[in-house]
Amino acid sequence: MNASVGVKEDKVYAPKVLLNVNGIPNELKACPQWVVWKGIPSNSRPGKIDKIPYQINGYKASTTKPDTWTTFEKAVDAVQTGVYHGVGFVFTKETPFSGVDIDSCIHDGKIDQHAKELLADLASYTEISPSGSGFHIIVMGKKPGTRSRKAGSSVEIYSSARFFTITGCRFEGTPDTIEERQDILNKIYKEMFEPDKPVIHVSPQIDVS
């Protein structure tokens, strides 16, 4: 199996980051939770690309239906046919992995300060996304609540029923291993969502006897 796999390039969408098979952690490769994907123009987000998961047989995949997933090796073989843009990993409740997506944080080769801080805090396997403008960080641990993204934020956290496009293009200086980071996930989740809780004002009790 080649280390670098050329992915599909067409007039609709062309990933800027090649699939590096050898850069992907073995812990992920061992899980039969892989799909392939195609990038298509988004109907709901003008100018954006939606990444749609597919089965290797050409039908669409579902992040909640394991019978639509496959092995890593078969997913890579499907990409090599030139039909799909890349491979993706599905997060599940049964496996210990979670993904932190930091979108649009690389500008002209410079990384936003907030993204730098998250990379340093999580200190786990981190790769550059297919667009070349963001990061995917894989950790061991689960998000402590049901929310995944705060409105207006470029950060998303997923632990199940979601897939990440995987490039294997590890960001230099970050670990090549997936680390246990439950405490850090808890901290990030709290910082993202707890300020949104409404303030409850309790009326004072008046004794009118």
Side-chain angles (χ1 to χ4, degrees):
M1 187 178 293
N2 295 330
S4 294
V5 177
V7 295
K8 181 181 178 183
E9 295 186 10
D10 53 35
K11 295 181 180 179
V12 176
Y13 175 71
K16 295 182 179 179
V17 178
L18 292 177
L19 172 60
N20 178 22
V21 173
N22 291 344
I24 300 171
N26 290 330
E27 300 100 309
L28 298 185
K29 292 179 181 178
C31 299
Q33 298 165 207
W34 291 87
V35 295
V36 288
W37 60 272
K38 295 180 183 179
I40 63 172
S42 175
N43 291 325
S44 59
R45 303 177 302 153
K48 298 290 186 178
I49 294 292
D50 289 335
K51 299 176 179 67
I52 309 301
Y54 280 84
Q55 304 177 58
I56 60 175
N57 60 12
Y59 292 97
K60 287 185 178 180
S62 169
T63 56
T64 59
K65 296 180 179 179
D67 60 347
T68 66
W69 311 339
T70 189
T71 64
F72 175 74
E73 290 78 13
K74 289 181 179 179
V76 172
D77 288 343
V79 171
Q80 289 179 315
T81 66
V83 176
Y84 305 101
H85 287 118
V87 300
F89 181 81
V90 182
F91 295 103
T92 69
K93 294 179 180 179
E94 292 73 27
T95 48
F97 308 111
S98 287
V100 179
D101 180 10
I102 313 175
D103 193 24
S104 301
C105 61
I106 305 174
H107 307 280
D108 297 324
K110 296 182 179 180
I111 305 172
D112 293 347
Q113 183 60 33
H114 182 53
K116 288 182 180 180
E117 293 171 0
L118 286 175
L119 264 61
D121 286 345
L122 289 165
S124 187
Y125 172 77
T126 300
E127 63 174 34
I128 302 174
S129 63
S131 67
S133 63
F135 295 110
H136 289 162
I137 308 170
I138 312 296
V139 300
M140 285 191 286
K142 296 293 184 179
K143 65 177 182 178
T146 59
R147 300 179 66 179
S148 297
R149 181 177 184 177
K150 181 178 179 180
S153 173
S154 61
V155 180
E156 301 174 57
I157 306 173
Y158 296 99
S159 294
S160 64
R162 182 79 174 200
F163 89 100
F164 265 17
T165 58
I166 299 293
T167 64
C169 183
R170 182 172 63 87
F171 183 59
E172 185 176 359
T174 62
D176 58 4
T177 53
I178 301 175
E179 301 296 328
E180 197 285 320
R181 293 291 183 260
Q182 186 62 62
D183 289 347
I184 303 301
L185 279 183
N186 294 345
K187 173 177 174 288
I188 293 172
Y189 191 90
K190 181 178 180 180
E191 290 173 349
M192 287 177 66
F193 300 118
E194 283 209 355
D196 286 348
K197 290 184 177 180
V199 176
I200 300 176
H201 297 282
V202 179
S203 299
Q205 298 298 311
I206 302 175
D207 186 356
V208 294
S209 60

